[in-house]
Amino acid sequence: MKIKILAIDCSPRKNSNSGALLQHSFETANAKLGGELEMELVHLRDLSFSPCLACGVCGKKKESEEYFPCVQKDDMGELLEKMKSADGICIATPVYFGMPSDLFSKFVMRTRVLRHQDFQLANKPVGIMATAGRRSGGAETAIISAWLPFLRHGCLIVGNGDATCQFGVMGWAGAQGHILTDEWGLEQGEQMMRRIHEVASLVKAGQAQLGGRTPMRFSYTSGNRK
Ligand SMILES: Cc1cc2nc3c(=O)[nH]c(=O)nc-3n(C[C@H](O)[C@H](O)[C@H](O)COP(=O)(O)O)c2cc1C
């Protein structure tokens, strides 16, 4: 089954390890999968977008439940559409102080509109790759932090699948391109792409069988106090 992966590089620097890891992982996984994968690679640094204004406008109208888009008209609009149409999402971020990059945070807050529009990303598999300059430099904490927004979207978090099924992909690299000599990081990357393919295929087949999208409905009142 053809599976479309949207790969998002959250590094601010050109020729990033994050981007190289995504590209290499896709190529090696696709060779094993006989060409069943398609990947679009987006470098966040190439997009022009602002942080979420927390204006509270986006989502759906409380009474009519009509959907409201984000008020900001910038490159995020197109990226949100790409996220919606992808079968799976793979995020690669550099590790900054044990966390995902600030570019990741700026991007992910802008995805809130999709959650408020009845969880448009629900049931999409999402895997996280984090590259740290140092061993024990915080890749696992960055991966776990990056999971959180996607859990709130109703996404299906995947690890690196085959062989060890660990928390995600932990790249170990410093200078640009250094990741291409990190054998274990590359192996995990290939496994994660195949794991996303596997889960996305199951979801796609299940949705075709059941006829339609997730029944998850967003509520403004649930868990709120007056
Ligand atoms: C602001 C900043 C913070 C960083 N924090 C960490 C860190 O906490 N742990 C670590 O091992 N490496 C850290 N690094 C190194 C990067 O994670 C490393 O160079 C990585 O390969 C960058 O990936 P990229 O090429 O995709 O941007 C930091 C780098 C920068 C610029």
Side-chain angles (χ1 to χ4, degrees), residues 14-187:
K14 273 195 177 160
N15 304 319
S16 61
N17 286 314
S18 304
L21 178 57
L22 286 166
Q23 188 60 39
H24 191 279
S25 304
F26 162 70
E27 285 168 14
T28 48
N30 211 19
K32 282 200 181 170
L33 291 167
E36 282 198 3
L37 273 185
E38 274 172 28
M39 184 183 84
E40 179 171 1
L41 174 51
V42 173
H43 304 282
L44 288 183
R45 61 182 169 273
D46 294 341
L47 307 188
S48 166
F49 65 103
S50 305
C52 172
L53 298 169
C55 66
V57 171
C58 75
K60 63 179 182 181
K61 250 188 177 169
K62 288 189 180 111
E63 310 75 38
S64 65
E65 305 215 328
E66 182 193 344
Y67 285 173
F68 264 69
C70 176
V71 297
Q72 303 198 75
K73 302 296 168 229
D74 57 21
D75 290 349
M76 267 310 288
E78 198 182 334
L79 183 57
L80 295 179
E81 288 306 313
K82 287 179 179 175
M83 292 179 85
K84 276 161 56 178
S85 65
D87 299 312
I89 297 173
C90 190
I91 304 281
T93 178
V95 174
Y96 284 178
F97 286 97
M99 299 184 291
S101 68
D102 41 349
L103 200 47
F104 167 83
S105 299
K106 186 171 88 156
F107 140 72
V108 89
M109 300 311 155
R110 290 286 305 276
T111 65
R112 187 177 188 234
V113 56
L114 300 181
R115 184 183 130 76
H116 286 203
Q117 292 176 346
D118 297 320
F119 302 98
Q120 306 232 15
L121 300 182
N123 300 326
K124 286 188 197 293
V126 173
I128 311 291
M129 304 180 170
T131 299
R134 293 177 192 272
R135 188 164 174 181
S136 308
E140 289 189 16
T141 50
I143 287 169
I144 293 166
S145 308
W147 285 347
L148 302 178
F150 293 104
L151 282 170
R152 290 201 89 213
H153 274 294
C155 293
L156 307 177
I157 304 298
V158 303
N160 65 337
D162 219 14
T164 57
C165 202
Q166 304 201 95
F167 302 103
V169 178
M170 277 149 268
W172 182 14
Q176 280 135 308
H178 191 199
I179 191 70
L180 295 173
T181 57
D182 176 22
E183 260 178 51
W184 174 227
L186 296 177
E187 192 179 325

